[in-house]
Amino acid sequence: MTSHDIQLLVTALVSVLCLVALIVSRLRVHPLLALLIVSVGAGLFTGMPLDKLVAAISGGAGKTLGAVGLVVALGAMLGKVLADSGVTDSLASAILDRASRRALPWAMAGVAFIVGIPMFFEVGLIVLLPLIFGVARKLEAEQQGSGSAYVYVGVPVIAALAAMHGMVPPHPGPLTAIATLKTSVGATMIYGFIAALPAIVLAGPVYGSFIAKRLTVRPDDALIAQYAPDTTADATAATEAAHSAPAAHRQPPGLALGVLAALAPALLMLMHALGEMLLPKGSALLHFTAFVGNPIIAMLLGVVFAVLALRPGQPEAVRKALSDSIKPIANVLLIIAGGGAFQQVLTDARVGDAIVHLSQQLPVSPLLLGWLISMLLSVSTGSATVGIVGAAGLLAPLAASGTAVNQPLLALSIGCGSLFFNYANHAGFWLVKESFGMSLGEATKTISVVQSIVALVGLGMVLLMNLLPPLG
């Protein structure tokens, strides 16, 4: 550890504290402005050249919008089509009819577990927001239980998506660790599924039932109306519209078709994941599955399919609905961009190197060391990918040296560490916070704690499975 490393670590810590202070103090600074102000301050205090600081802010914001923003926008469009066509309401009713209130979190976690296999955390959340809002709104209307129905239904989804994102290939984090450590995809996937199940249970239905009673979270009315329109309140208007509409357009689409439209992006991404595992590298079919399975392309094809299958013959109404769907998420997109700028500044300032130097002085087992390095890098830089790449790169020589370490479990441990305490410098934190209309404290009690539980349970499962004979 050098004095420069200490300066970087202190700057990262102070930056996060200043960010929180700007947002929650009497100043009540808008999160986008707070993120940009802190990004500039962190860059200046770490000695970044001014031109590189500006490039980091613009590049980080642009990269995050390119990777996440388009997917969020397309997800909002898909959610609007599903809601306006009655699919969301039908699916929410089907789940409520078949599950008691106590069983609802388990049902939502199961849906998110399946959807989360091929989908990034942010993508999966956007795809499932209409279902979350639809089920929660019906719970509100039925006045079942106390606290926040949106937290009660949403936390299990967040837990399942987070666990799959950090533990199970074909997500980029686990795949990156597998490639760097040169270990087995199949063994890591099996270990990942085994570790994910108890993590999802404890962080999802169990913790969600506990924390929902203590919060009054409710999303913005515009977002609720977009993703889960109040069909009961609008019954009169809907009846009048039905009389004036062509007969072929009066009935909502079948539930099976609606579910297919909702899951189309997930199926395309799953096809890509299976292609990577089963098809030879360089094959034309693999290139095709990689194209249609890209999150942006998959979401685009999903929106087009939903428009054609669920809303045929209404082009003007569809165009207006899609335009309206973007307005409520504009604030979310800008804040996500600000989070990307903050993340990039910390990364370019080499905060990650300081974390690695600190971790080298910790005499612990490789599995625990991998978790710690990944956790520290992820928390400090705001990027789970940075955590995984840094930890895997540092421990790759150890894994290749013949040291007695279960390499698939090491890859899984690194992935689990990257999930710990997702906070204000993570884009996913802001997506959850703004989508559900949470304060910083409420977001911390939900997504930050949920992902920390997932990370800790995952580590416990890694250490437990390490006592058993290795797979393969």
Side-chain angles (χ1 to χ4, degrees), residues 1 37 69 82-83 138 173 184 233 243 318 330 343 395 405 416 446:
M1 288 286 291
I37 291 170
L82 294 174
K138 284 187 174 293
S184 166
H243 285 307
V318 170
Q343 168 192 323
L395 297 180
V405 58
C416 292
T446 51

Side-chain angles (χ1 to χ4, degrees), residues 248-331:
H249 297 164
R250 291 177 189 173
Q251 296 298 324
L255 186 59
L257 179 60
V259 171
L260 177 61
L263 293 182
L267 295 176
L268 292 173
M269 293 183 210
L270 180 60
M271 184 171 66
H272 174 212
L274 294 175
E276 285 188 324
M277 290 185 286
L278 302 176
L279 298 174
K281 292 183 178 180
S283 69
L285 184 56
L286 179 59
H287 285 298
F288 173 76
T289 59
F291 174 72
V292 298
N294 178 279
I296 295 175
I297 301 300
M299 291 300 300
L300 174 62
L301 293 176
V303 172
V304 172
F305 174 74
V307 169
L308 294 177
L310 306 180
R311 297 288 301 275
Q314 303 179 48
E316 188 61 35
V318 170
R319 184 171 69 174
K320 184 178 184 303
L322 296 184
S323 296
D324 292 342
S325 71
I326 303 299
K327 297 174 184 177
I329 65 166
N331 193 53

